[in-house]
């Protein structure tokens, strides 16, 4: 599903972010990427959805090499990958429904498709009763659920979550992690970057540890946060 072959990323001569990264993630895995701030977690995730390109090496998504992907091919890739961020990146003057609908409109979906699909994803994330609420009226955990709903509308094969619980309290953090685990149980591959030790240990699945831009450990199952 996702393969990194000898991937290095150098932003500029003073800043090499990742060095000779190799791993393979197969369909249905739940992978936590852990490491301290500045280790290279966000850079690694950005390369999966081609927000950044590798300086060296190659990245394969579903067998396709995206290392030098052209911008006109980007929308096809992005349809397979849903992305969730720490700061939600929602449209605050709009309702929950409109936020999710907007993601479908920009990819050319019809009004009927939107009417059918938005309630379905809102149900998955447990926000049916907030459909008409404005996003700025929601709690942090609810905002993150909206952004997960938006990431799900294209029925992606992969969900990438970069510190999705970074702005949340303990209860909401666990709530969001459980939602990601539920989505994973439906078959979606999940890649979660976090420096939250407790949740990584509770998830107890594969853990890839990044230290100073290198993979220092790759625990295939029952992984723990060990740095
Ligand atoms: N756009 C950028 N330009 C230059 N350096 C960057 C850029 N983005 C990240 N870096 C550097 O790359 C390294 C890894 O950053 P990042 O991937 O954001 O780490 P993490 O997400 O683990 O905190 C850091 O040294 C950071 O300063
Ligand atoms: Mg980061």
């Amino acid at each position: 599903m996702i393969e990194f072959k000898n991937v290095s990323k150098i932003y500029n001569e003073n800043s090499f972010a990742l060095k000779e990264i190799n791993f393979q993630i197969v369909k249905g895995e739940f992978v936590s990427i852990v490491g301290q701030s500045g280790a290279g977690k966000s850079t690694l995730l950005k390369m999966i959805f081609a927000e950044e390109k590798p300086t060296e090496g190659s990245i394969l998504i579903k067998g396709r090499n995206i290392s030098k992907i052209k911008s006109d091919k980007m929308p096809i890739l992005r349809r397979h990958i849903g992305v969730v961020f720490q700061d939600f990146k929602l449209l605050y003057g709009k309702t929950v429904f409109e936020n999710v609908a907007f993601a479908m409109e920009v990819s050319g979906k019809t009004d009927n498709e939107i009417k059918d699909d938005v309630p379905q994803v809102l149900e998955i994330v447990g926000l049916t009763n907030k459909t008409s609420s404005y996003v700025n009226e929601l709690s942090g955990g609810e905002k993150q659920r909206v952004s997960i709903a938006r990431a799900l509308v294209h029925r992606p094969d992969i969900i990438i979550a970069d510190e999705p619980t970074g702005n949340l309290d303990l209860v909401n953090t666990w709530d969001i992690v459980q939602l990601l685990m539920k989505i994973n149980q439906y078959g979606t591959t999940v890649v979660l970057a976090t420096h939250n030790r407790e949740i990584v240990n509770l998830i107890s699945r594969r853990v890839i540890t990044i230290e100073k831009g290198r993979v220092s450990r790759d625990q295939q199952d029952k992984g723990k946060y060990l740095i």
Side-chain angles (χ1 to χ4, degrees):
M1 184 66 74
I2 304 170
E3 188 173 2
F4 276 51
K5 287 185 186 170
N6 270 310
V7 171
S8 294
K9 176 69 183 180
I10 302 167
Y11 283 108
N12 55 57
E13 63 228 53
N14 314 314
S15 179
F16 94 79
L18 290 172
K19 192 114 190 172
E20 288 157 26
I21 305 286
N22 286 287
F23 62 79
Q24 220 172 326
I25 293 173
V26 302
K27 184 173 160 46
E29 275 194 274
F30 191 121
V31 184
S32 301
I33 309 285
V34 306
Q36 284 163 1
S37 180
K41 304 181 294 298
S42 294
T43 300
L44 190 154
L45 261 48
K46 283 177 186 167
M47 289 199 286
I48 297 175
F49 58 97
E51 172 85 17
E52 292 288 351
K53 289 178 184 169
T55 314
E56 274 175 58
S58 48
I59 297 167
L60 280 76
I61 304 293
K62 299 182 83 180
R64 283 237 171 90
N65 191 339
I66 61 151
S67 317
K68 298 187 175 79
I69 189 172
K70 299 272 190 315
S71 53
D72 63 327
K73 293 277 187 303
M74 216 78 102
I76 301 167
L77 172 72
R78 300 271 166 92
R79 243 170 268 155
H80 294 290
I81 305 177
V83 188
V84 178
F85 301 97
Q86 175 170 355
D87 60 355
F88 319 128
K89 299 195 194 298
L90 299 172
L91 304 165
Y92 285 90
K94 292 187 183 289
T95 66
V96 169
F97 185 96
E98 288 164 349
N99 265 270
V100 180
F102 184 73
M104 297 185 72
E105 281 162 25
V106 295
S107 62
K109 294 283 159 66
T110 66
D111 285 353
N112 278 334
E113 287 172 307
I114 291 171
K115 250 186 260 159
D116 286 346
D117 290 359
V118 174
Q120 278 182 27
V121 290
L122 289 180
E123 166 138 34
I124 292 170
V125 302
L127 280 183
T128 302
N129 62 342
K130 300 280 177 182
T131 302
S132 307
S133 299
Y134 283 88
V135 163
N136 49 309
E137 299 165 349
L138 303 177
S139 72
E142 288 167 343
K143 285 177 186 149
Q144 194 55 293
R145 284 194 266 160
V146 178
S147 88
I148 292 172
R150 183 184 52 191
L152 288 175
V153 285
H154 300 306
R155 302 177 197 284
D157 304 297
I158 303 166
I159 290 276
I160 303 291
D162 193 357
E163 306 272 5
T165 62
N167 287 335
L168 304 180
D169 62 22
L170 243 157
V171 173
N172 280 307
T173 291
W174 186 229
D175 192 49
I176 291 300
V177 169
Q178 282 183 307
L179 176 56
L180 291 173
M181 290 169 80
K182 177 173 117 182
I183 291 163
N184 175 248
Q185 276 164 12
Y186 289 154
T188 310
T189 306
V190 176
V191 185
L192 163 72
T194 182
H195 60 258
N196 186 319
R197 180 179 304 272
E198 285 73 29
I199 63 168
V200 170
N201 290 342
L202 278 166
I203 292 166
S204 195
R205 299 280 297 272
R206 182 171 176 192
V207 178
I208 296 177
T209 306
I210 311 284
E211 288 180 86
K212 296 189 181 129
R214 292 176 185 269
V215 173
S216 62
R217 193 179 275 120
D218 185 348
Q219 302 161 271
Q220 291 294 323
D221 194 25
K222 298 193 168 57
K224 296 287 169 244
Y225 198 119
L226 290 174
I227 45 168

